[in-house]
Amino acid sequence: MADILITGANRGIGRALFDRYAARGDAVTGTYRTSAPEDGSWLQLDVSNPEQFDTLCHDFKPESLDLLICNAGVYLDKGHSLADGFPAQLWADSFATNVTGVFLSVQAMLPKLQLSEIPKIAIISSQMASSERAPGGSYIYRASKAAALNLGRNLASDLKGLGIAVGIYHPGWVQTDMGGGAVDITVDRSAEGLITRFDALSLETTGCFETYDGTEHPY
């Protein structure tokens, strides 16, 4: 049984991951921003608010953490046009969640990860982070997910010496509020694939950027 923490786990992919880990017997805790689910173990956390991480560390009861899944994210510039969209505050809000929120989650939980025998960090990024695949549009979301990818790669380098493996993942184009209706896969298929990837993550594969089905994704 592993001790697992998932940020942004009250809906979408995060919720699907939470349910699957709970069903297989892992001790999984999820975070929510405003509305707490009625079942399972939950802690309130807005990853864009640095002041809330001290409370998270205090309230997370397991002594060690085997897997931190940085899933909380926003896609605020969907449908914006270059002519009159992408206001500065949207950039700030998106990066506060998608990038700074990931870093602060890792930083806050690092002491507990270091107490685990097999510590892992999984960062949910996106294929839209890829510099090789750049079809345009969604500038804020793409830039923030590219930054999360870069952050994960550098964390992998720095944390390898501590025995902590870091993986970065594209969950697929999933049927969620963020993904929309015209999608490739269901949230269940994405979650099942991601769990397989997380289970396989090791120091030998640390720094990987993979899709939910195990395909190596171009940077």
Side-chain angles (χ1 to χ4, degrees):
M1 182 180 73
D3 288 304
I4 300 168
L5 176 65
I6 307 173
T7 64
N10 59 310
R11 62 177 183 169
I13 295 170
R15 181 68 211 224
L17 290 169
F18 181 97
D19 289 341
R20 276 153 186 75
Y21 278 121
R24 80 176 194 181
D26 291 306
V28 57
T29 300
T31 74
Y32 66 93
R33 187 171 58 180
T34 55
S35 180
E38 297 180 355
D39 58 323
S41 176
W42 297 91
L43 296 173
Q44 188 170 19
L45 175 69
D46 180 347
V47 298
S48 69
N49 185 346
E51 296 179 358
Q52 293 189 10
F53 283 93
D54 285 342
T55 302
L56 173 70
C57 294
H58 178 270
D59 292 345
F60 183 75
K61 296 308 180 185
E63 291 185 4
S64 65
L65 177 60
D66 300 310
L67 174 61
L68 170 63
I69 303 175
C70 298
N71 171 73
V74 293
Y75 185 178
L76 303 179
D77 60 321
K78 183 183 295 185
H80 279 233
S81 69
L82 182 57
D84 57 6
F86 309 101
Q89 190 60 49
L90 220 58
W91 284 88
D93 293 343
S94 297
F95 271 72
T97 296
N98 295 352
V99 187
T100 309
V102 171
F103 178 80
L104 293 177
S105 297
V106 172
Q107 188 178 54
M109 303 310 296
L110 186 57
K112 289 184 178 288
L113 285 162
Q114 289 181 269
L115 294 176
S116 169
E117 294 183 0
I118 49 168
K120 302 179 184 182
I121 298 169
I123 297 173
I124 304 300
S125 182
S126 169
Q127 66 179 1
M128 294 170 75
S130 174
S131 296
E132 294 185 31
R133 297 180 181 178
S138 298
Y139 303 113
I140 300 175
Y141 185 75
R142 290 183 190 278
S144 68
K145 287 299 184 179
L149 169 59
N150 182 276
L151 172 62
R153 294 275 290 170
N154 282 282
L155 284 171
S157 178
D158 285 338
L159 296 179
K160 187 173 184 179
L162 298 178
I164 302 174
V166 181
I168 307 98
Y169 302 93
H170 166 54
W173 192 11
V174 183
Q175 188 174 356
T176 63
D177 291 341
M178 185 179 295
V183 295
D184 292 331
I185 62 170
T186 64
V187 67
D188 292 327
R189 184 180 173 193
S190 174
E192 290 171 3
L194 287 171
I195 288 174
T196 300
R197 306 281 75 74
F198 303 162
D199 286 344
L201 177 63
S202 69
L203 290 177
E204 286 69 37
T205 60
T206 191
C208 63
F209 183 29
E210 297 177 340
T211 66
Y212 72 97
D213 61 2
T215 303
E216 184 177 350
H217 201 288
Y219 297 106

